[in-house]
Amino acid sequence: TRTIQIMAVEKYFENNYTYSQKEVADIQRKSVIVQALIWSVSNGSIYLFGLVSFGFGAFFVYHGLLTGQALYLVGMTVEFSSWALSFANTAFPDLVRANAAAR
């Protein structure tokens, strides 16, 4: 059951909460746009790095400086490293804040 005291102050806290959410809405909107751009560039770079590594690798295989198996190994290493950096990219701000808070 709700007491009279809770019913009297509930609207006050509800209004304060709504006001505080409206204040940060613009900042969050800008932050989401920046995060979306960073995410798209980092994911796009994964495929670009893969293209470049296999492109240079094909040149090296053609001239006999690299075997096909070594090219595949290098290409997969670049792909896995790029994906790992992409996933770490989203959590990087939290990691920095956690490091600063731990000191």
Side-chain angles (χ1 to χ4, degrees), residues 14-31:
E14 194 175 297
N15 288 339
N16 279 351
Y17 178 76
T18 304
Y19 177 74
S20 67
Q21 291 300 310
K22 285 180 183 177
E23 279 187 351
V24 297
D26 290 334
I27 296 170
Q28 287 177 341
R29 192 173 296 121
K30 291 175 186 175
S31 173

Side-chain angles (χ1 to χ4, degrees), residues 58-81:
F59 174 79
F60 291 140
V61 168
Y62 180 76
H63 290 292
L65 300 171
L66 196 65
T67 65
Q69 188 175 13
L71 170 63
Y72 182 76
L73 181 64
V74 168
M76 288 298 105
T77 303
V78 168
E79 290 286 329
F80 286 133
S81 300

Side-chain angles (χ1 to χ4, degrees):
T1 64
R2 299 169 86 187
T3 63
I4 294 175
Q5 290 87 1
I6 292 175
M7 288 175 23
V9 295
E10 189 174 271
K11 193 67 174 169
Y12 170 77
F13 288 115
E14 194 175 297
N15 288 339
N16 279 351
Y17 178 76
T18 304
Y19 177 74
S20 67
Q21 291 300 310
K22 285 180 183 177
E23 279 187 351
V24 297
D26 290 334
I27 296 170
Q28 287 177 341
R29 192 173 296 121
K30 291 175 186 175
S31 173
V32 165
I33 291 171
V34 170
Q35 287 176 349
L37 288 172
I38 291 171
W39 178 255
S40 63
V41 168
S42 66
N43 276 346
S45 67
I46 291 170
Y47 299 106
L48 177 66
F49 293 150
L51 172 74
V52 168
S53 67
F54 278 108
F56 280 121
F59 174 79
F60 291 140
V61 168
Y62 180 76
H63 290 292
L65 300 171
L66 196 65
T67 65
Q69 188 175 13
L71 170 63
Y72 182 76
L73 181 64
V74 168
M76 288 298 105
T77 303
V78 168
E79 290 286 329
F80 286 133
S81 300
S82 298
W83 278 109
L85 287 174
S86 175
F87 289 130
N89 187 25
T90 57
F92 186 72
D94 293 330
L95 293 173
V96 171
R97 275 185 251 136
N99 186 16
R103 290 181 184 205

